Amino acid sequence: MQLGLIGLGKMGGNMAERLRLGGHQVVGFDFNADAVQRLTESGNVGVNSLEDLAKNLDRRKAIWIMVPQGKPVDDTIAKLEPLLNPGDILIDGGNSNYKDSQRRYKEVTEKGFQFVDVGTSGGVWGLKEGYSMMVGGDDETVEYLRPIFETLAPAADKGWGHVGPAGAGHFVKMVHNGIEYGLMQAYAEGFTIMEKKEEMDLKLPQIAEIWRYGSVVRSWLLDLTADALAKNPTLEGFEAYVSDSGEGRWTVFEAIDLNVSAPVITESLIRRIRSREENNFTDRMLAIMRNSFGGHAIKKD
């Protein structure tokens, strides 16, 4: 199956490679000429314009958009629409607000096209481990795209699913990221408590390794934390500045709107905001975890 892919950054490039290895052809576009060249060299097709992307896709076009949420998504869709035929599919695999996805679905389908929102998790590890995908959209459209989802997922029947109508994929991914905030904060605080117990001279890399096996708090996030601590036990050189992509904020806003008490997620968001005002071990832990699982940039002293 062919797939158009817009956005060949680290995650998009890895997705293209996983699809190629799974027997699919990716036609990819990015404003970065080097990224386009790398895609071509890998065995897929890199193009230099959206027009060329559309021309290189045969039959029913399916185009996966991996650009920053908000206006970049709207602008990309607006540029693609004149190049589409009725029934062609636009897929937003970025971190869009689910309300935007609901709006885009309505706008796109009214013009005769299809729209699917895919909350995508896996970061820089997706090529090796597979991607977790939460899919929103119409039944027929999602079913048509099944071969793509089955290839990108950890297994054909694991790690992905059609969770509901348009907007549901990004809604579930929003909550996923809110939970992620809370988990990361709990790990960071726990390790900081142990780091402060100086008279015991606790070895954090050793403890992280112990917890990875048999413990009720074992997780992939802990695996990444253990690896990071093994490389830099004191987090020397890292600034305690933790960014947020926006989805944690949206989760908190939604909890308030729904009268749901979500103190852990809310406080973890507040803690990230506070990290931009001071330097401490807890936030250096958070920063290095984000770098480990998603390749997010780390500020250094």
Side-chain angles (χ1 to χ4, degrees):
M1 184 174 181
Q2 268 191 325
L3 181 74
L5 178 61
I6 300 171
L8 301 174
K10 190 172 290 186
M11 189 166 178
N14 283 348
M15 290 174 64
E17 180 63 10
R18 188 171 177 91
L19 287 167
R20 185 189 68 81
L21 294 172
H24 304 283
Q25 183 189 59
V26 172
V27 180
F29 167 74
D30 195 284
F31 288 110
N32 185 323
D34 290 339
V36 173
Q37 181 65 28
R38 285 195 298 272
L39 181 70
T40 300
E41 291 173 350
S42 73
N44 280 305
V45 179
V47 297
N48 297 312
S49 70
L50 296 182
E51 289 78 10
D52 285 343
L53 183 141
K55 289 175 184 177
N56 278 275
L57 293 173
D58 54 16
R59 300 187 303 277
R60 186 182 185 185
K61 297 181 183 66
I63 302 176
W64 189 302
I65 301 168
M66 289 291 284
V67 302
Q69 64 91 14
K71 190 174 183 296
V73 179
D74 286 323
D75 289 347
T76 301
I77 291 174
K79 292 175 182 176
L80 284 171
E81 286 176 340
L83 309 174
L84 302 178
N85 299 314
D88 287 350
I89 306 166
L90 295 173
I91 307 156
D92 182 2
N95 284 331
S96 290
N97 188 299
Y98 79 94
K99 295 178 182 178
D100 285 337
S101 296
Q102 291 175 323
R103 169 181 59 80
R104 289 172 185 137
Y105 169 84
K106 184 174 184 297
E107 293 171 349
V108 165
T109 54
E110 285 176 351
K111 297 174 183 177
F113 313 125
Q114 299 298 312
F115 181 87
V116 173
D117 56 291
V118 183
T120 309
S121 181
V124 297
W125 295 87
L127 174 58
K128 177 184 176 183
E129 304 289 341
Y131 296 91
S132 174
M133 291 166 293
M134 300 133 264
V135 184
D138 294 339
D139 291 345
E140 184 277 332
T141 312
V142 174
E143 189 61 29
Y144 178 80
L145 296 169
R146 174 180 287 273
I148 296 296
F149 299 137
E150 290 181 341
T151 302
L152 288 173
D157 60 345
K158 290 182 175 65
W160 81 277
H162 184 192
V163 298
H170 281 148
F171 182 86
V172 175
K173 177 57 161 50
M174 175 192 75
V175 177
H176 164 283
N177 280 26
I179 293 170
E180 177 188 297
Y181 279 36
L183 289 172
M184 291 170 66
Q185 187 68 33
Y187 278 128
E189 291 176 4
F191 278 100
T192 301
I193 292 168
M194 292 186 289
E195 190 266 341
K196 293 297 183 184
K197 196 67 173 175
E198 295 178 359
E199 66 268 30
M200 290 188 176
D201 193 27
L202 300 173
K203 304 296 188 293
L204 301 190
Q206 176 199 29
I207 294 164
E209 282 296 323
I210 292 170
W211 286 359
R212 289 182 62 206
Y213 303 96
S215 164
V216 296
V217 299
R218 65 187 184 273
S219 70
W220 183 52
L221 185 56
L222 180 61
D223 293 343
L224 297 173
T225 303
D227 181 65
L229 286 171
K231 294 174 180 174
N232 189 347
T234 63
L235 308 186
E236 176 107 29
F238 292 111
E239 184 178 340
Y241 185 104
V242 188
S243 299
D244 69 278
S245 63
E247 296 209 72
R249 296 176 186 234
W250 300 339
T251 306
V252 172
F253 298 156
E254 199 68 29
I256 293 170
D257 287 344
L258 295 171
N259 287 319
V260 173
S261 175
V264 172
I265 295 173
T266 302
E267 180 56 31
S268 66
L269 170 64
I270 299 302
R271 194 64 187 80
R272 288 192 179 203
I273 294 171
R274 199 183 81 174
S275 77
R276 298 156 206 174
E277 302 174 358
E278 60 182 351
N279 193 25
N280 57 65
F281 193 87
T282 304
D283 294 319
R284 278 181 281 155
M285 284 289 304
L286 288 173
I288 201 168
M289 280 190 278
R290 286 186 90 241
N291 176 259
S292 295
F293 75 74
H296 302 291
I298 294 179
K299 285 196 170 188
K300 298 190 177 182
D301 293 338

